[in-house]
Amino acid sequence: VDAIIDHQDDMFTGWRIYKYHDRFGISKDSFSEDGLADVQTRLNTEIFPMHLQFLEKRLKSSNAKNLWLGNTENPTICDFYWAPTLLDLKSGSTGDANLLNDFPAIREYIERFNRIPEIFEYNNSSAKDIQDVEDPLSSIGNAGGDSV
């Protein structure tokens, strides 16, 4: 379970530095526009697919037994860590809304996660629409999540 959580950190370190550079002590001026475009392209075409292939393979073997990412019968913390991030990828947050098209086991996993009764209830309630929550990192540049 811990290794699967760490795998997400490995997959998204480059993206998080790209998107939230100021949080990591890197000014936007450190990058050229062409360099930033190259980072985003390489993440979407090389880095993310490489990591998604690993998850796809793991889920294909687990899905046959209806298991979760931790190879367990019930979801664990790693599923609650990964599923929202994968859903975010599916929405195109990295600039590629087709990123998960070649990964049917991941798409099925997201759907299965969202069918957990408590998750389903939450997703269909007004609780998810909470607004006006101040980001504790808002004093640091780019905290609002704007792309670079």
Side-chain angles (χ1 to χ4, degrees), residues 34-147:
D34 288 342
L36 287 171
D38 182 56
V39 168
Q40 184 176 21
T41 298
R42 288 196 62 220
L43 286 167
N44 281 319
T45 61
E46 298 172 32
I47 305 304
F48 293 150
M50 175 185 64
H51 290 283
L52 291 169
Q53 286 171 1
F54 166 80
L55 284 179
E56 181 77 3
K57 183 178 177 183
R58 183 172 184 89
L59 285 167
K60 280 183 178 179
S61 66
S62 295
N63 284 350
K65 301 171 194 164
N66 205 30
L67 299 176
W68 295 91
L69 274 176
N71 216 25
T72 57
E73 291 182 21
N74 295 302
T76 65
I77 188 65
C78 67
D79 298 295
F80 287 88
Y81 195 63
W82 266 103
T85 303
L86 292 170
L87 185 60
D88 192 48
L89 281 181
K90 186 178 174 186
S91 75
S93 64
T94 67
D96 184 355
N98 299 312
L99 196 56
L100 296 183
N101 285 359
D102 294 333
F103 302 101
I106 291 174
R107 292 191 321 271
E108 190 281 329
Y109 167 77
I110 294 167
E111 296 302 318
R112 189 160 46 109
F113 181 83
N114 285 324
R115 288 191 306 265
I116 295 171
E118 294 82 1
I119 300 299
F120 182 83
E121 181 180 336
Y122 173 79
N123 285 338
N124 290 293
S125 75
S126 60
K128 69 176 184 158
D129 296 325
I130 295 174
Q131 301 287 326
D132 301 323
V133 176
E134 185 175 331
D135 181 349
L137 299 176
S138 62
S139 63
I140 300 174
N142 203 21
D146 296 335
S147 62

